[in-house]
Structure formats: C-alpha cells, structure tokens
Amino acid sequence: MLHILHRSAPTVWEHDAMFGQAFFETIAVAFEVVGVLSMLVGFIVAVGISIRVWIRSRSGATAYRTLRESFGGVILLGLEVLVAADLVKTVTSTPSLTDAVVLALIVLIRTVLSFSLQIEIDGVAPWRRALVTGPEVLARAARRSGDGTTETPDARA
C-alpha cells in the first residue's frame, strides 16, 4: 500500500512566527545594507570635502586631516548602524548560548573599534570631549571645506 504523506497547513501561530522572523531578518539585512552604503557614500563625500579643502587652502596636511576626520565620522556612523543590525538579529536568532556569545563578541569588537576610532579622531577619550560626536565632526569638516580655515584639533576645545 502506498501511503501519501500529508502535511497540514501551518497553524495561525506558526504562520505569524514565520512572518515575524522573516520580517525581522529583512529589517536586519536592511540595516546592514544601510550601514555599508553609508560608509561607501560617506567615503566618496569625505574625499570630495577633502579635495575642496585642498583646493581652497592649498594645504595637503589640512586636506588629509579633513579626510581623516570626516571619513572617521562616517565609519563611526556605519559601525553604529551595523551594531543596530546585530541587535535586530537577536530577535530572529535561536536562543542558544553559542549564538549569544557570537553576537556579543561582534558587538564588542564593533564597539571597541568605534571607541578607538573616536579617540583617534578627537585625540582624547570620549568622556573628556563629550560634546564632539560623529555628526559634529562631519559638519565641522564640511564647514571647513566651505571657508578654507585650517582649524586644528587643539583649537576646537
């Protein structure tokens, strides 16, 4: 006798769980794409800003510092978005100790990178210069490209 295996349709609960998981996975991927694209587009903008500074000031050192600061701010923004993607992934991941440890390590590494980059850009620890954030660094670099000033990191304080 031939037995036909028949699987019943998913219950409402299973359907909602599958939809929810797919929804949050899509959101996490969207955050990852936005994080990478922000770094890519930000790099192009940072190069444009530094070229503008170099043309106006004719100072390679100022243009380099502008590129370094503006691209550093872009990387900080991208890392923050990627950490947000990791946090959204926690909604869709299976609750295992291995997954939690891997996610925690990824977030820790990205946080340490952000912290190190912030110190590199500002020259001081973030708690000593609490008013300087990634967007403010980008805005300052853009302003500098418009007026041709050669403001140094020490003069900002």
Side-chain angles (χ1 to χ4, degrees):
M1 292 236 166
L2 181 63
H3 293 284
I4 299 175
L5 296 176
H6 178 354
R7 181 164 187 226
S8 62
T11 65
V12 173
W13 176 255
E14 290 172 334
H15 181 269
D16 287 347
M18 289 187 302
F19 174 75
Q21 184 171 359
F23 174 76
F24 284 112
E25 286 175 357
T26 303
I27 296 297
V29 169
F31 269 109
E32 289 174 337
V33 169
V34 168
V36 171
L37 284 177
S38 69
M39 286 190 265
L40 178 65
V41 171
F43 174 73
I44 294 167
V45 170
V47 168
I49 290 171
S50 66
I51 289 171
R52 188 173 170 189
V53 167
W54 180 73
I55 289 171
R56 290 178 183 258
S57 70
R58 293 291 180 204
S59 170
T62 302
Y64 173 74
R65 188 173 49 252
T66 301
L67 176 64
R68 188 173 169 175
E69 288 178 358
S70 58
F71 188 53
V74 165
I75 292 172
L76 282 172
L77 174 65
L79 284 172
E80 289 172 4
V81 173
L82 291 174
V83 167
D86 292 335
L87 293 175
V88 171
K89 283 181 185 177
T90 62
V91 173
T92 62
S93 68
T94 55
S96 73
L97 185 58
T98 303
D99 290 340
V101 169
V102 168
L103 183 62
L105 286 174
I106 290 171
V107 170
L108 178 67
I109 289 168
R110 288 181 178 166
T111 302
V112 168
L113 283 173
S114 295
F115 182 76
S116 301
L117 192 56
Q118 188 72 48
I119 290 174
E120 184 70 24
I121 291 170
D122 295 338
V124 295
W127 58 85
R128 296 196 62 208
R129 189 168 298 193
L131 299 177
V132 178
T133 64
E136 290 172 352
V137 170
L138 289 174
R140 186 174 48 254
R143 280 193 304 273
R144 186 179 313 133
S145 74
D147 63 12
T149 60
T150 57
E151 181 182 318
T152 63
D154 295 334
R156 292 188 300 229

